[in-house]
Amino acid sequence: MSRILILGSEGQIGTELSIFLSKIYSKSDIITADLNKKTDTDFKFIKLNALSYFDIENVVKKYEVDDVYHLVAVLSAKGEADPLNTWKVNMTSLFNVLELARKKLIKKVFWPSSISVFGDTSPKNNTAQFSIKEPLTVYGISKLSGESWCEYYNNTYGTDVRSIRFPGIISSKTLPGGGTTDYAVSIFYSLIKKEVFKCFLNKGTKLPMIYIEDVLRSIRMLMKADKNTLRIKSSYNLSAFSFTPNELYLNLQKRFKNFKIFYESDYRQKIADSWPNKINDNYSRKDWGWKPKYSFDEMVEEMIKKVSNKLNNE
Ligand code: AKB
């Protein structure tokens, strides 16, 4: 069994990944790390800045870490407020982990990329693994560059770094911080709180999305796969379902008749408009058997249950 380190453990993916992996690994083999502890989980927690190579190296050596899940990132919308800092955070933290792997201090790395690597010149529908990529945001530029570096480390040093281009992630434990797809999470909070929802994207903006359970499963499947079957050394396209704000609203309104929405798009509209409507994930399906479990409807049902429970227990 490997010992794992989750960097960015208190974020949207990290808070759920640690719990998910604790069903596979023994709890004592999971080390979580972030700038600050935000959740009430009782995993071993290290306060750490992923920009410091030596801080990560010390943890890796002290706890004899095998695999690192590197989830630290400034997302697409927030990233635009301070482009140079976004570049610094997203790239320096990645290099720190890639260097640990190159030096053979760790065995395997997982690093998430995103649909933000695509841009206005990419095909909108059925966007393929190797479609044109001209990202609009600093976040997208950092993810695309990061993908190339992962591929470089894989090819040049034999580093085992694996990556997935995630669509918008819908989850209930921790709110995503500063993404363009965040409306699809916050809408559930407005619904349960009986508030009118103000949507920052236009009603017809179709985007690829995925439910967190499928995100966790995909990470596990890719990390478990035989390295020799993985043809993509940069990052794998991944798909689950796509919908517009209006389709999500109508789905919710079917169940909650009085729920109201209004649309007031802002700077995030331009970012969303540059992203694909639907992703082609043939390489993931062929190379490591990817198939999503959650449909749009199932995600909606789960989110209503989970967000209701969460708010009732607050
Ligand atoms: C964002 O909106 O920035 C993220 C993403 C799609 O990578 N959720």
Side-chain angles (χ1 to χ4, degrees):
M1 259 299 168
S2 313
R3 179 156 306 155
I4 64 165
L5 169 64
I6 303 179
L7 293 175
S9 63
E10 307 306 286
Q12 187 192 17
I13 304 178
T15 47
E16 309 229 16
L17 185 66
S18 47
I19 295 168
F20 178 84
L21 291 179
S22 68
K23 293 172 198 147
I24 300 156
Y25 296 84
S26 102
K27 217 166 186 176
S28 57
D29 284 334
I30 300 176
I31 321 288
T32 61
D34 211 318
L35 286 173
N36 288 301
K37 176 86 178 151
K38 290 187 192 144
T39 52
D40 57 4
T41 50
D42 56 356
F43 295 103
K44 171 97 200 137
F45 178 79
I46 317 279
K47 207 169 147 71
L48 176 149
N49 186 339
L51 294 182
S52 163
Y53 172 81
F54 290 104
D55 286 357
I56 311 177
E57 192 191 82
N58 283 340
V59 173
V60 161
K61 284 185 171 162
K62 180 168 176 193
Y63 296 99
E64 297 177 346
V65 169
D66 298 294
D67 301 343
V68 173
Y69 292 75
H70 169 7
L71 310 174
V72 175
V74 182
L75 298 186
S76 60
K78 191 171 172 206
E80 294 303 283
D82 191 347
L84 294 188
N85 183 56
T86 304
W87 176 259
K88 185 169 109 187
V89 171
N90 294 359
M91 298 309 291
T92 306
S93 60
L94 175 61
F95 278 123
N96 287 344
V97 174
L98 288 177
E99 278 297 285
L100 286 169
R102 183 182 67 78
K103 293 177 186 167
K104 307 262 182 280
L105 291 169
I106 52 174
K107 292 186 186 134
K108 235 191 246 185
V109 177
F110 178 80
W111 175 76
S113 185
S114 147
I115 54 162
S116 66
V117 296
F118 297 109
D120 286 320
T121 50
S122 313
K124 285 269 165 243
N125 276 308
N126 210 25
T127 313
Q129 180 68 36
F130 296 108
S131 289
I132 295 175
K133 293 172 204 74
E134 293 187 304
L136 199 75
T137 60
V138 197
Y139 171 67
I141 297 171
S142 70
K143 287 296 183 190
L144 184 56
S145 310
E147 286 188 7
S148 296
W149 279 108
C150 290
E151 186 164 32
Y152 182 84
Y153 271 71
N154 259 314
N155 289 337
T156 312
Y157 307 119
T159 303
D160 192 351
V161 46
R162 305 177 181 203
S163 176
I164 292 173
R165 285 179 192 143
F166 284 118
I169 298 174
I170 302 176
S171 69
S172 56
K173 273 207 171 60
T174 304
L175 286 169
T180 303
T181 56
D182 292 9
Y183 89 86
V185 174
S186 39
I187 193 169
F188 288 94
Y189 287 80
S190 294
L191 175 82
I192 304 302
K193 289 180 181 167
K194 299 191 169 38
E195 292 168 354
V196 176
F197 182 64
K198 176 178 159 189
C199 185
F200 60 72
L201 295 183
N202 291 336
K203 65 194 288 186
T205 311
K206 194 176 213 120
L207 287 172
M209 303 274 186
I210 186 168
Y211 186 53
I212 187 75
E213 290 298 328
D214 272 336
V215 168
L216 305 174
R217 230 170 32 83
S218 70
I219 295 175
R220 176 70 185 150
M221 285 174 77
L222 180 62
M223 287 299 267
K224 244 179 56 184
D226 176 353
K227 193 178 179 215
N228 297 321
T229 64
L230 303 178
R231 286 174 293 171
I232 303 297
K233 310 287 183 207
S234 52
S235 187
Y236 276 93
N237 269 11
L238 195 85
S239 174
F241 43 73
S242 297
F243 58 82
T244 65
N246 188 46
E247 282 161 353
L248 178 54
Y249 169 66
L250 292 177
N251 194 313
L252 296 174
Q253 210 228 6
K254 247 183 358 208
R255 306 158 203 253
F256 295 78
K257 296 275 169 273
N258 295 327
F259 185 44
K260 296 265 180 305
I261 191 168
F262 72 99
Y263 296 93
E264 206 172 286
S265 64
D266 60 22
Y267 69 101
R268 288 168 279 196
Q269 185 63 47
K270 209 170 145 210
I271 302 175
D273 285 342
S274 76
W275 289 352
N277 299 334
K278 193 175 182 303
I279 297 286
N280 176 318
D281 61 1
N282 278 349
Y283 277 86
S284 292
R285 288 178 188 250
K286 284 202 189 108
D287 289 6
W288 45 278
W290 168 245
K291 198 167 179 254
K293 272 196 179 152
Y294 282 82
S295 66
F296 175 44
D297 264 333
E298 286 162 342
M299 173 281 287
V300 168
E301 266 169 41
E302 282 295 298
M303 281 297 285
I304 292 174
K305 260 192 263 158
K306 295 245 162 84
V307 176
S308 304
N309 285 343
K310 185 177 168 189
L311 294 178
N312 284 338
N313 290 330
E314 267 179 13

